[in-house]
């Protein structure tokens, strides 16, 4: 993972000003790199998430925070994916808000992902630098196979997140 972060930093310094698009500066440079090692964390529902959580299972990781318009706009589409894929895929949301705020948010905005509330996980383990939301799709070997940041805030957000994730998830499930 650290090698991927270094590659992203080098790539960014080499880009000419006119090449600095959202896509070129986004997390796409992390594709092909493994997830970082992480100690065990407990979700707000009491489930343990550690390196074992990711073994032999495709995982969608979404980094978000309450008050982020594109983060909130894509929740219905992410819920649709959970409904479609069920237990064949891990769905993990890592939020930077504190646990109590996430619990209160979820009361009014149901979101079917496993939820970790940890700004230190975002800043110190994943070292997120691409803005919110950022989404990784990880294969069964804990390798990042898709990565993107940003999203829509309009009524197309639901469809957009599904259009971005479904082909990747379907392809990984066939392997």
């Amino acid at each position: 993972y650290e090698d991927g972060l270094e590659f992203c930093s080098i790539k960014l310094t080499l880009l000419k000003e006119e090449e600095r698009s959202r896509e070129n500066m986004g997390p796409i440079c992390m594709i092909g790199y493994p997830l970082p090692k992480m100690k065990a964390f407990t979700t707000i529902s009491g489930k343990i998430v550690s390196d074992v959580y990711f073994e032999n299972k495709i995982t969608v990781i979404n980094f978000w925070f309450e008050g982020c318009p594109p983060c909130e706009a894509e929740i219905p589409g992410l819920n649709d994916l959970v409904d479609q894929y069920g237990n064949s895929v891990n769905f993990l949301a890592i939020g930077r808000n504190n646990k109590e705020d996430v619990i209160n948010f979820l009361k009014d905005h149901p979101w079917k992902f496993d939820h970790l509330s940890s700004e230190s996980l975002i800043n110190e383990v994943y070292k997120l630098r691409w803005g919110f939301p950022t989404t990784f799709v990880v294969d069964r070997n804990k390798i990042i196979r898709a990565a993107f940041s940003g999203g829509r805030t309009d009524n197309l957000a639901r469809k957009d997140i599904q259009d971005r994730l479904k082909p990747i998830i379907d392809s990984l499930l066939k392997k």
Side-chain angles (χ1 to χ4, degrees), residues 72-105:
E72 294 178 15
E74 66 188 17
I75 292 171
L78 294 169
N79 281 338
D80 292 343
L81 293 171
V82 174
D83 290 341
Q84 179 177 350
Y85 294 104
N87 290 328
S88 62
V89 175
N90 284 329
F91 292 94
L92 178 65
I94 303 176
R96 73 177 203 190
N97 299 91
N98 68 49
K99 182 178 178 179
E100 293 76 29
D101 288 344
V102 172
I103 290 169
N104 286 330
F105 175 83

Side-chain angles (χ1 to χ4, degrees), residues 27-150:
I28 194 169
C29 53
M30 293 301 294
I31 294 172
Y33 290 95
L35 286 180
K37 300 265 187 246
M38 64 186 257
K39 64 178 184 165
F41 286 84
T42 304
T43 68
I44 62 172
S45 64
K47 186 182 221 177
I48 302 297
V49 175
S50 66
D51 287 335
V52 175
Y53 176 88
F54 302 98
E55 289 179 359
N56 300 312
K57 203 155 184 191
I58 294 155
T59 303
V60 174
I61 304 172
N62 182 267
F63 299 92
W64 74 289
F65 68 93
E66 179 185 3
C68 163
C71 300
E72 294 178 15
E74 66 188 17
I75 292 171
L78 294 169
N79 281 338
D80 292 343
L81 293 171
V82 174
D83 290 341
Q84 179 177 350
Y85 294 104
N87 290 328
S88 62
V89 175
N90 284 329
F91 292 94
L92 178 65
I94 303 176
R96 73 177 203 190
N97 299 91
N98 68 49
K99 182 178 178 179
E100 293 76 29
D101 288 344
V102 172
I103 290 169
N104 286 330
F105 175 83
L106 294 175
K107 288 177 185 173
D108 294 327
H109 306 88
W111 190 358
K112 301 172 183 178
F113 276 37
D114 293 326
H115 287 272
L116 291 174
S117 176
S118 175
E119 193 159 359
S120 68
L121 185 58
I122 291 171
N123 293 330
E124 296 165 23
V125 176
Y126 284 94
K127 300 177 182 173
L128 195 71
R129 54 179 71 167
W130 301 285
F132 294 90
T134 291
T135 303
F136 291 163
V137 181
V138 183
D139 71 13
R140 291 177 176 96
N141 298 310
K142 300 188 258 183
I143 305 296
I144 299 167
R145 296 300 175 194
F148 55 87
S149 62

